[in-house]
Amino acid sequence: MSLSPRLEIRQGQGLVITPQLQQAIKLLQLSSVELEAYVEGELERNPLLQRDEGEHGGETEAPERQAETGEVALDRMTTERGAADMDAASADSYEASPGERDCGDRPVAEASEAAGDGYQTGGAIDWSGANKGGSFDRDDNGLEGALQSADTLAEHLEKQASLAGFSTTERAIAQVLIDGVDEAGYLRADLDDVAERLGCGLELVEAVLARLQGFEPTGVFARDVRECLTLQLKEQNRFDPAMAALIENLDLLAKRDLPALRKVCGVDADDLKDMIAEVRGLTPKPGAAFGGEPSAPVIPDAMVREGPGGLWLVELNSDALPRLLVDQRYHARVSAGARGEADKTFVADCLASANWLVRSLDQRARTILKVASEIVRQQDGFLAFGVEHLRPLNLKTVAEAIGMHESTVSRVTSNKYLATPRGVFEMKFFFTAAISASNGGADHSAESVRHRIKQLIDGERDPEGVLSDDRIVEILNSAGVDVARRTVAKYREAMRIPSSVERRRVLKEAC
């Protein structure tokens, strides 16, 4: 057999992920906030795209565009936006309810009227981008709001360091230590490393640290929780030997082992109770109040409300859906002014990209609506009666019901939220593992079992009535839930519920 290069032509079939398909997949898994940021970038890059800010945004043109010739418009295409071309019927389909469906027999709840009136579209959050410019004529804080931004923890500490009277060397050490403080206010830098890096003695670094630990907020620059609490107690002049013993034995306090704490601290029960109350009044994370990012509001992608006859109606949230238009008239004008091949190619690429983005957004909205409608159909018991009636559900069940692949359903449910009369939930919440029934009946949802365990523990009122994990297993088995003791312990620990021994000790103290 000879080895030699040769040229062959073969024909075959294979799956190819085109850039357009990659874009559609990317859009599908983006959250509403990420999608808004992506659309903003496309609006800046593509002059043929424009946000639909009104019911008939595609029928009028901006005054500056009406005055432009095709040649001038072509030169400005890299910085301008166009109007649009998706008709109002397609846009309004987002607000309609093609997913309205009968989700099982359900009696009309008393709260149906309140639930039905609880959702309003538009106005709550402005996604139009109309007020994102630099004008100070709008109704917000303007320049004052920009100047009144809160300082970060590092900035707050640097201001104090500039007034502390440090020498040049001490100021350099203080700056390095400030850089080593985390968001909670704890010093994560090693003092030996700081001394070696700056070429100074460890004693000088420790002296600077001692002065920095007197900064506000009290407890900052501590290296662990014990030191943080000690600094705060010293500032309050409450760090006596008994309190020092309590701080050194925080592990006993966490276990609620009060007899051992009384022995270690050398105090009676009343004094120990007062000391514990003082410790609870301290701040274990002194830097948490500085420089925190504002929490982003959760914007539901779809909403569920109760309709007439006990049916559940599913509709998309128009506030979470960017509505884009393609300006065909602007495209025609610019195309007529394009003289070179490069200009014509650029205009054609912009048009193809704009049309594909609009179609991708429309397909994304329809897919979300399909998945949300199927979730509501599967979990109508939860909507009607609460978490105890949450059914086991997996991606495969939903995918087979709507004729899609499991990966598509997984992307749709990631970072997407569903507003229901019982609150706003991430779509992943409705997918729970199944726990077999001991009597051969229908499987139970893991989430409903966790809820049942929490209810049993919340019902404990006296030390004699504390339920062990084995006793909880017996109660669940008698209710038809086939669950093991290790599963109960795992669920209890996941909910951060202490063991029966610790709960019994707490109830004895309360009595």
Side-chain angles (χ1 to χ4, degrees):
M1 180 178 181
S2 61
L3 298 176
S4 60
R6 56 184 177 180
L7 183 64
E8 292 184 355
I9 299 178
R10 295 182 180 180
Q11 184 178 6
Q13 293 181 341
L15 294 177
V16 178
I17 300 181
T18 62
Q20 292 83 358
L21 183 56
Q22 291 178 353
Q23 181 193 54
I25 294 175
K26 178 181 178 181
L27 292 179
L28 197 59
Q29 60 190 7
L30 294 180
S31 65
S32 58
V33 177
E34 295 170 339
L35 179 64
E36 181 64 27
Y38 178 84
V39 168
E40 282 295 327
E42 291 298 317
L43 286 170
E44 294 293 335
R45 285 189 292 268
N46 196 329
L48 298 182
L49 279 174
Q50 183 181 12
R51 191 183 297 275
D52 181 15
E53 299 178 358
E55 296 182 358
H56 305 286
E59 297 182 0
T60 60
E61 299 183 38
E64 63 271 19
R65 290 209 170 165
Q66 295 176 356
E68 290 177 346
T69 63
E71 182 176 357
V72 175
L74 180 62
D75 294 337
R76 298 180 58 187
M77 283 187 68
T78 58
T79 57
E80 289 189 333
R81 301 177 185 173
D85 173 84
M86 187 174 68
D87 56 42
S90 176
D92 291 340
S93 66
Y94 291 166
E95 300 179 359
S97 301
E100 296 180 358
R101 57 202 304 174
D102 185 353
C103 295
D105 297 333
R106 180 188 188 276
V108 180
E110 296 179 359
S112 62
E113 182 177 355
D117 297 337
Y119 303 108
Q120 297 179 358
T121 58
I125 300 177
D126 181 13
W127 292 103
S128 64
N131 288 332
K132 295 182 179 179
S135 172
F136 299 107
D137 297 329
R138 55 193 191 206
D139 291 331
D140 58 10
N141 293 331
L143 181 60
E144 293 181 4
L147 295 178
Q148 294 176 357
S149 59
D151 290 339
T152 63
L153 178 60
E155 292 171 345
H156 181 68
L157 296 176
E158 288 171 359
K159 289 180 180 179
Q160 297 179 74
S162 64
L163 303 174
F166 287 125
S167 65
T168 304
T169 303
E170 292 172 339
R171 185 70 177 87
I173 297 174
Q175 184 59 53
V176 173
L177 294 178
I178 290 174
D179 293 339
V181 174
D182 63 11
E183 295 180 354
Y186 288 90
L187 179 62
R188 301 306 181 188
D190 185 80
L191 298 187
D192 292 327
D193 293 341
V194 173
E196 182 179 354
R197 191 193 333 167
L198 297 179
C200 60
L202 178 60
E203 296 79 7
L204 181 58
V205 176
E206 291 177 343
V208 173
L209 176 59
R211 294 177 62 182
L212 292 175
Q213 288 180 342
F215 285 6
E216 292 292 335
T218 306
V220 74
F221 287 100
R223 284 158 287 187
D224 53 37
V225 177
R226 288 183 173 87
E227 187 175 15
C228 178
L229 300 180
T230 298
L231 291 173
Q232 297 179 51
L233 289 169
K234 287 182 177 179
E235 194 270 340
Q236 299 174 7
N237 197 24
R238 283 292 297 121
F239 193 70
D240 52 30
M243 187 65 77
L246 177 61
I247 296 301
E248 287 299 323
N249 294 274
L250 290 178
D251 54 337
L252 296 178
L253 180 59
K255 296 177 182 178
R256 302 291 301 178
D257 192 352
L258 300 187
L261 280 176
R262 287 196 298 268
K263 182 178 180 181
V264 170
C265 298
V267 296
D268 57 22
D270 293 336
D271 289 339
L272 181 61
K273 184 177 180 181
D274 294 338
M275 292 166 61
I276 293 176
E278 289 185 39
V279 172
R280 286 179 175 174
L282 302 178
T283 305
K285 294 182 179 180
F290 291 85
E293 294 293 333
S295 58
V298 173
I299 303 174
D301 297 88
M303 299 182 293
V304 183
R305 59 185 176 87
E306 190 176 18
L311 306 181
W312 295 109
L313 307 182
V314 183
E315 58 186 1
L316 293 173
N317 181 11
S318 60
D319 290 339
L321 296 174
R323 302 173 68 173
L324 302 181
L325 302 175
V326 181
D327 192 348
Q328 297 289 356
R329 288 176 292 180
Y330 183 56
H331 168 259
R333 184 188 310 160
V334 174
S335 299
R339 299 178 181 177
E341 287 298 325
D343 294 341
K344 294 180 181 178
T345 302
F346 176 72
V347 173
D349 291 343
C350 287
L351 179 63
S353 177
N355 286 328
W356 182 266
L357 179 59
V358 170
R359 288 196 297 269
S360 297
L361 291 175
D362 178 72
Q363 183 62 37
R364 176 183 181 273
R366 295 177 186 275
T367 305
I368 292 176
L369 187 60
K370 275 186 179 182
V371 174
S373 300
E374 181 60 24
I375 290 175
V376 170
R377 191 183 71 84
Q378 295 282 350
Q379 301 291 4
D380 60 326
F382 164 79
L383 298 174
F385 306 109
V387 68
E388 291 184 357
H389 296 268
L390 196 65
R391 299 170 183 166
L393 185 64
N394 53 36
L395 298 174
K396 182 178 180 181
T397 302
V398 175
E400 291 178 350
I402 62 178
M404 293 184 177
H405 196 269
E406 290 182 44
S407 61
T408 303
V409 177
S410 177
R411 291 187 179 95
V412 170
T413 54
S414 297
N415 301 317
K416 308 294 189 307
Y417 293 87
L418 185 64
T420 72
R422 296 190 177 275
V424 179
F425 300 89
E426 188 178 5
M427 289 189 181
K428 290 288 188 182
F429 166 81
F430 298 97
F431 294 88
T432 61
I435 295 180
S436 302
S438 58
N439 54 8
D443 292 342
H444 300 272
S445 167
E447 188 65 33
S448 64
V449 174
R450 277 193 288 266
H451 179 72
R452 181 67 184 275
I453 293 173
K454 188 175 185 302
Q455 279 188 326
L456 291 174
I457 295 177
D458 289 344
E460 299 172 348
R461 293 293 180 266
D462 56 79
E464 301 301 327
V466 173
L467 302 174
S468 64
D469 291 345
D470 291 325
R471 178 55 183 159
I472 293 176
V473 169
E474 294 176 1
I475 295 175
L476 293 177
N477 287 338
S478 63
V481 182
D482 186 12
V483 62
R485 181 187 179 280
R486 63 180 179 274
T487 304
V488 172
K490 181 179 69 173
Y491 288 169
R492 175 180 55 75
E493 293 172 358
M495 293 184 289
R496 298 185 177 181
I497 298 176
S499 65
S500 58
V501 175
E502 297 179 19
R503 300 199 308 271
R504 185 176 293 109
R505 184 183 296 123
V506 172
L507 289 175
K508 285 183 179 179
E509 296 170 4
C511 296

